[in-house]
Amino acid sequence: MHRLPDPGDPGDTRGPDGPRTPARHRGALLAAATALATLMALPILFRTDSGADAAPTTLPWPDDGQAAVLIEGLGERGDLGAHGPERPVPIASVAKVMTAYVILRDHPLHGDESGPLVPVDQQAVNESFSGTESTVEVRPGQRLTQRRLLELMLIPSGNNIARLLARWDAGSQQAFVARMNSAAADLGMHKTTYTGASGIEPTTTSTAADQLELARRVMRDDVFRSIVARPDTTAPAVSGPLPNTNDLLDTRGVVGIKTGSSTPAGGALMWAVAVRDGRGHEHLALGVVLHQHPGTTPREGLQAAFDTSRALVEAVRSRASATTPTPTAQDTGPASA
């Protein structure tokens, strides 16, 4: 690299306005400046484990709505950012993730523990046969374990089960919602408002970035992780399995988390996938996609959320495999499910 001549250099001459660069240096300086400008115009690169430079994978963000993605354990390079307007939107049944978080915070389970038996009240029975929301049939006199109820809420997405758990935990759904909002504030989810335990209310709103923070925290609970990774659970009142509403579980490495859909919310999905970095170490990647095709049918919105999430999962897998962890990348939380 050429060094600009100091005023005391023998080759320096001065004009009336200060130092004048000799002609023999001007060509070299011009070449150096051109090379520097060219380098500054190039895209920022990151180094893979092999030492070769590679352009980062561009994430296929959704055309509408919003999304946020991160890879745990890669420090700043794992923060893949957010896309779309960061304004609160309805999140539908993704709200049940916070319901589960509060239930497990107030009544922790460990390992294979089932937890206490919870009586099924008449309200939960009456709500079993709603034709306007997602419910799970339960019968009078049943006593189901806490773990069983969490499965029925998170896997087939029973709204009546979410409200039953809320009443069991706090005495009323209203009191439980106050706990949900307090937990959100503690997690720094300042653009989130819960108005029910199930998410059916369009007034339950949040952002992808806020829900991503919740995903990071709740996936540290082994019991929660084991439930949301299940493809189905058994029905409590009839024979046969109840399938998980999360079709993304069919994608390689996906280990959860929760769907949501309604006409106001469109399709919503919080997901988790195990990925490997450039050295073969496993990490948990988390993503949230909200407000996909709102105003259409819940089925159409949810399908859009699945399609967007599958594309993001593949791009995140590629990004992770091209990234080498550094000694300063010390994110907390589990590496995989």
Side-chain angles (χ1 to χ4, degrees), residues 81-108:
H83 177 81
E86 196 175 344
R87 59 180 178 81
V89 295
I91 61 172
S93 286
V94 170
K96 294 184 175 84
V97 176
M98 178 59 86
T99 299
Y101 175 79
V102 174
I103 291 293
L104 287 168
R105 181 200 65 185
D106 293 351
H107 310 274

Side-chain angles (χ1 to χ4, degrees), residues 96-178:
K96 294 184 175 84
V97 176
M98 178 59 86
T99 299
Y101 175 79
V102 174
I103 291 293
L104 287 168
R105 181 200 65 185
D106 293 351
H107 310 274
L109 297 177
H110 305 284
D112 295 329
E113 290 179 353
S114 296
L117 288 169
V118 180
V120 173
D121 61 20
Q122 190 60 45
Q123 184 174 344
V125 174
N126 295 343
E127 292 173 352
S128 292
F129 305 101
S130 170
T132 60
E133 60 178 324
S134 173
T135 60
V136 172
E137 183 179 350
V138 288
R139 293 175 178 170
Q142 283 185 317
R143 292 165 61 84
L144 303 174
T145 66
Q146 174 190 340
R147 190 186 194 111
R148 188 88 169 83
L149 290 173
L150 286 169
E151 290 178 5
L152 295 173
M153 177 182 71
L154 292 168
I155 296 175
S157 201
N159 287 356
N160 59 327
I161 305 302
R163 293 187 287 265
L164 172 60
L165 280 168
R167 292 190 296 273
W168 169 69
D169 177 81
S172 69
Q173 182 178 207
Q174 182 179 4
F176 186 80
V177 166

